[in-house]
Amino acid sequence: MNIFRKYTRKSLGSNKARTLVTIIGIILSMGLLTAVIEGAYSGVQYLVRNEISNSGRWEVYFSGMDEEKLEKLKADAEVTDIVSWNSVGVIDTGSGRTYGQYLFVTSITEEFYDMVSVNISRGRLPENENEIIIPHNMGQYIGDLDLGRGNIINVSVGTRVDADGNELGLEPITEGEKIVDTAERSYTVVGIYNRLDSSIIDYSTPGYIVLTVGSEGKLMGSFATLKHPSQAYEFQRTRGISGSDQYISGCSIHSDLLNMKGTVRNGRIQQVIYSLAAILALMIAFGSISLIYNSFSISLAERTKQFGILKSVGATKKQLLSSVLYEALLLGGIGIPIGLIIGCAGIGTTLYLLRDSFRSFSSGNSVEMKLVISPLGLVIAAALSLLVILISAWIPARR
């Protein structure tokens, strides 16, 4: 078999122009396949980073918590990371607006920022319990309060209860409710942040969440990530049934993030992107077979006399076929790595040049489109390219 391989290498060296053309065809095929696959993967990762920047990396949000349930939740083997925020109290703005009657003063920690995105549009984050930031959709004036950045407001902070004295959280306004156990507080407005995701703060909430740090308060809710995000909805069903003997009275899923990650059954955004990439890859593969096939067909036509001589001295069909496939593997071994590098460089440069165009999809945050290399994607591109090369050589070799 070694003599056939040596003969094949000598034949390639004696036909440098044809060999170079074949290698170029392989490089183009591999480069295009790499660009399509890695471009699709980079697009999916861009959407994931954009969603994390907008809303955070949390996967489930638990409301209606107490300390006992929180400890039980922390001990759950399915939960990998968890942070909480606390209700300091409620401010009655006196605005008379159904959806702006209250300010819910909520205390967070430094760890909170790593789990939930608090994007400051103006000003800065609070640094102590006497500073607050307000959501951008709230406006500067509400009731008798002037919440302009840098202003100090003197308010009464208390507990919201219904007509029967039962404590209320973020539920819609009920008849006869009031604020009790008030205490006078002064807050300085130091910044404005983008409104939190609607899966956290429902649009029916009768007020706005204002954030501070370092204050004691009642546990309001917890954000967590899961060991198996694909089981998020099952986790919600088994742990978050309202009125059950489970951990919580409410459980929201970060469905947009899980959808983009493709970790849930209805992850259609990822499916659409990868389906389009698969269609393009198949079109490139069929086109590449035609291109590379012609090169091998010409090569074999030129070597027909040589194959006849080899057969006359005892070469079998299997040996001749192996010789042709060895040629394909040899050329692929040269063209595939080069095509891989050129494909990554090409799609990386393209995405870099288009980064400003993609900013229109990023909701004003700083997320940039960039090349994110998937090792599995490179393996798939290389395997598909190798398959294209072998098919392109096998078809004329069968003659």
Side-chain angles (χ1 to χ4, degrees), residues 78 85 198 287 325 390:
E78 185 62 26
W85 57 0
S198 59
L325 295 180
L390 292 177

Side-chain angles (χ1 to χ4, degrees), residues 155-168:
V155 291
S156 296
V157 181
T159 302
R160 180 185 173 214
V161 297
D162 62 18
D164 297 323
N166 299 314
E167 187 172 344
L168 297 172

Side-chain angles (χ1 to χ4, degrees), residues 3 37 44 87 127 140 188 195 239 277 302:
I3 188 64
I37 293 173
V44 169
S87 174
E127 297 176 351
Q140 179 175 341
T188 301
R195 187 186 189 278
R239 274 82 157 185
E302 293 176 350

Side-chain angles (χ1 to χ4, degrees), residues 7 38 40 70 87 104 155 188 198 213 221 228 343 362 386 395:
Y7 177 77
E38 294 299 328
L70 176 60
S87 174
F104 298 93
V155 291
T188 301
S198 59
V213 295
H228 303 102
S362 63
L386 181 60
I395 294 174

